[in-house]
């Protein structure tokens, strides 16, 4: 029984025999069981991928509550559409594609599409950006550095954000990214290059503005 | 010194280069501070983006998340319809009973066909005693009466309460 202590009440009520079997099974077996009406199998899939999908939605949308909603909707939609999964790509890639589309929809229809102003980012994270740009982050306060990076990430266009997150957050290969984004590998390379240039440029720009601002403050004082 | 293309450094950092190309890039990075700086920045950005934060992947709320998703599924109309059919015994594929197919497809089809028949047959039915006044008016109109005559009659051509009657208007327009 101790082995099942991590299960939800839903899974416990449904019986543990199937769940134990599924924990060691691959996605193909899990998907087959879900198609046959085994809901416990889908709970195992959700448990398997909830962390990367939630993290991706959170970084894409920038708001925890909307991100949770998007992640839940993505898993819900995947369950309803599981009969359409043909196995051309991995199940994880297919799931990420659904989550990505959900995030795109939310960003498209969101009334609060505007991101934080550049001034606010400079105000909050100038020091951290300077540290990042100077490659001092490993010895720097990582929390602050991560915070400023997330703020800058939110200021980038969504198409840059999604390609950066798929690469860095989920460690997807170019081929997997191409399947998730439904484009060619060359297109992935191009988009990733532009996204990284934008991120790096924004952080360097942030660093320069921060430096100028601080020198002005010193002169005034 | 010639610098590497940014894309080459990115593919190196992403592990997308083959062994020979990776070795060449690694060798260059040892002697080129600018390219090494870009490579290190990319690695730093990646590491910071990957670092966990308070909102994602916390083990404590994994159970809550799984429960919330399964709750959504249980409450969704599509799943409710499926669950009424019962679970598949012994993992075999569920077959759809014939009466459910009748309920979902044949009944609406018969309903639609019946509605179409009603719409077609109704105008052809003989006038009954329960016909409305307007129906009686239309049925008493001789076939030889033209639309214009009907209009003139309907608008009260002989009514002199207005400044012009309809026929007077037509005459004025003709002039």
């Amino acid at each position: 029984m101790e082995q099942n202590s991590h299960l939800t009440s839903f899974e416990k009520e449904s019986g543990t025999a199937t769940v134990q079997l599924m924990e060691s099974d691959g996605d193909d077996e899990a998907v087959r069981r879900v198609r046959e009406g085994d809901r416990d199998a889908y709970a195992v899939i959700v448990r398997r991928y909830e962390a990367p999908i939630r993290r991706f939605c959170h970084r894409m949308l920038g708001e925890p509550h909307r991100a949770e909603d998007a992640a839940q909707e993505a898993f819900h939609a995947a369950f309803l559409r599981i009969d359409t999964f043909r196995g051309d790509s991995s199940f994880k890639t297919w799931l990420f594609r659904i989550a990505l589309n959900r995030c795109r929809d939310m960003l498209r229809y969101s009334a609060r599409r505007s991101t934080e102003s550049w001034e606010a980012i400079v105000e909050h994270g100038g020091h951290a950006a300077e540290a990042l740009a100077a490659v001092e982050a490993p010895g720097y306060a990582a929390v602050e550095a991560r915070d400023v990076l997330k703020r800058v990430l939110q200021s980038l266009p969504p198409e840059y954000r999604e390609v950066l997150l798929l690469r860095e957050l989920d460690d997807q290969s170019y081929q997997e990214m191409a399947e998730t984004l439904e484009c060619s590998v060359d297109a992935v390379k191009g988009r990733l290059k532009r996204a990284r240039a934008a991120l790096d440029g924004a952080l360097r720009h942030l660093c320069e503005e921060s430096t100028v601002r601080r020198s002005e403050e010193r002169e005034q004082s | 010194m010639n610098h590497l293309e940014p894309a080459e450094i990115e593919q190196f950092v992403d592990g997308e280069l083959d062994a020979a190309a990776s070795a060449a890039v690694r060798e260059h990075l040892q002697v080129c501070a600018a390219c090494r700086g870009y490579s290190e920045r990319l690695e730093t950005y990646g590491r910071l983006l990957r670092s966990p934060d308070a909102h994602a992947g916390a083990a404590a709320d994994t159970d809550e998340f799984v429960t919330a998703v399964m709750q959504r599924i249980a409450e969704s109309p599509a799943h409710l319809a499926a669950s009424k059919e019962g679970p598949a015994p012994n993992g075999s594929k569920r077959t759809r009973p014939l009466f459910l197919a009748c309920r979902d497809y044949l009944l609406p089809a018969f309903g639609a066909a019946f509605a179409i028949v009603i719409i077609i047959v109704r105008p052809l039915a003989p006038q009954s005693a329960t016909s409305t006044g307007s129906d009686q008016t239309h049925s008493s109109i001789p076939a030889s009466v033209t639309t214009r005559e009907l209009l003139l009659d309907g608008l009260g051509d002989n009514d002199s309460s207005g400044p012009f009657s309809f026929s007077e208007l037509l005459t004025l327009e003709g002039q």
Side-chain angles (χ1 to χ4, degrees), chain A residues 53-79:
Chain A
I53 292 290
R54 289 167 78 191
R55 203 160 51 227
F56 176 78
C57 291
H58 177 61
R59 293 283 163 82
M60 271 301 290
L61 299 171
E63 294 176 25
H65 295 297
R66 290 174 71 210
E68 283 293 288
D69 208 32
Q72 287 184 18
E73 284 183 15
F75 278 108
H76 183 203
F79 177 83

Side-chain angles (χ1 to χ4, degrees), chain A residues 124-143:
Chain A
H124 283 101
H127 299 274
E130 195 172 345
L132 271 170
V135 200
E136 292 171 7
Y140 193 76
V143 175

Side-chain angles (χ1 to χ4, degrees), chain A residues 59 69 168 174 200 204, chain B residues 14 41 45 49-50 72:
Chain A
R59 293 283 163 82
D69 208 32
E168 304 294 1
Y174 290 177
D200 194 41
R204 285 170 160 261
Chain B
D14 292 337
R41 282 202 306 279
Y45 300 157
L49 283 172
R50 281 191 295 274
R72 274 187 190 230

Side-chain angles (χ1 to χ4, degrees), chain B residues 1 3 28-41:
Chain B
M1 179 183 290
H3 293 297
H28 178 85
L29 294 181
Q30 286 175 349
V31 295
C32 178
C35 291
R36 191 169 59 247
Y38 185 55
S39 164
E40 288 173 348
R41 282 202 306 279

Side-chain angles (χ1 to χ4, degrees), chain B:
Chain B
M1 179 183 290
N2 289 331
H3 293 297
L4 294 172
E5 286 292 321
E8 208 171 356
I9 298 172
E10 288 164 16
Q11 287 172 38
F12 170 76
V13 171
D14 292 337
E16 295 279 343
L17 292 179
D18 59 34
S22 287
V25 171
R26 196 175 292 112
E27 197 175 321
H28 178 85
L29 294 181
Q30 286 175 349
V31 295
C32 178
C35 291
R36 191 169 59 247
Y38 185 55
S39 164
E40 288 173 348
R41 282 202 306 279
L42 290 182
E43 287 175 353
T44 302
Y45 300 157
R47 188 170 52 250
L48 289 169
L49 283 172
R50 281 191 295 274
S51 62
D53 56 24
H55 300 293
D61 59 6
T62 295
D63 286 348
E64 288 174 26
F65 183 85
V66 175
T67 305
V69 170
M70 299 313 292
Q71 189 71 25
R72 274 187 190 230
I73 288 169
E75 289 170 358
S76 65
H79 184 262
L80 284 174
S83 63
K84 281 178 186 170
E85 298 169 25
N90 303 323
S92 61
K93 280 206 167 185
R94 239 188 339 248
T95 52
R96 192 171 172 76
L98 184 62
F99 77 89
L100 282 176
C102 292
R103 186 192 66 185
D104 291 351
Y105 301 110
L106 291 180
L107 284 180
F110 277 122
F114 183 71
I116 291 168
V117 168
I118 292 293
I119 291 166
I120 293 170
V121 168
R122 195 166 168 239
L124 300 175
Q127 291 298 319
S128 64
T130 57
S131 297
T132 61
S134 61
D135 286 341
Q136 287 170 353
T137 307
H138 290 166
S139 63
S140 63
I141 296 170
S144 58
V145 177
T146 63
T147 306
R148 187 180 173 193
E149 286 167 341
L150 272 175
L151 279 170
L152 291 174
D153 184 47
L155 288 170
D157 193 35
N158 296 325
D159 184 9
S160 56
S161 60
F164 297 102
S165 67
F166 189 69
S167 58
E168 286 170 336
L169 284 171
L170 286 175
T171 309
L172 289 171
E173 191 181 351
Q175 288 170 357

Side-chain angles (χ1 to χ4, degrees), chain A residues 18-136:
Chain A
T18 308
V19 176
Q20 282 178 335
L21 174 69
M22 295 303 303
E23 291 287 0
S24 59
D25 281 334
D27 289 343
D28 292 344
E29 174 64 12
V31 169
R32 188 184 68 77
R33 283 174 174 267
V34 174
R35 281 176 172 161
E36 289 171 356
D38 184 354
R39 271 197 295 165
D40 295 349
Y42 197 68
V44 174
I45 289 178
V46 177
R47 183 176 293 282
R48 193 173 286 171
Y49 292 117
E50 59 90 22
I53 292 290
R54 289 167 78 191
R55 203 160 51 227
F56 176 78
C57 291
H58 177 61
R59 293 283 163 82
M60 271 301 290
L61 299 171
E63 294 176 25
H65 295 297
R66 290 174 71 210
E68 283 293 288
D69 208 32
Q72 287 184 18
E73 284 183 15
F75 278 108
H76 183 203
F79 177 83
L80 296 179
R81 279 189 258 159
I82 203 152
D83 283 335
T84 66
F85 172 64
R86 297 193 303 270
D88 298 338
S89 61
S90 71
F91 183 76
K92 189 184 82 169
T93 303
W94 184 73
L95 199 56
F96 261 93
R97 199 183 306 151
I98 292 174
L100 173 65
N101 286 332
R102 189 69 204 106
C103 289
R104 283 174 175 172
D105 287 345
M106 279 194 164
L107 287 169
R108 196 175 298 130
Y109 295 112
S110 170
R112 295 182 59 194
R113 207 187 317 177
S114 60
T115 54
E116 193 175 17
S117 72
W118 188 251
E119 285 296 314
I121 295 174
V122 173
E123 189 71 36
H124 283 101
H127 299 274
E130 195 172 345
L132 271 170
V135 200
E136 292 171 7

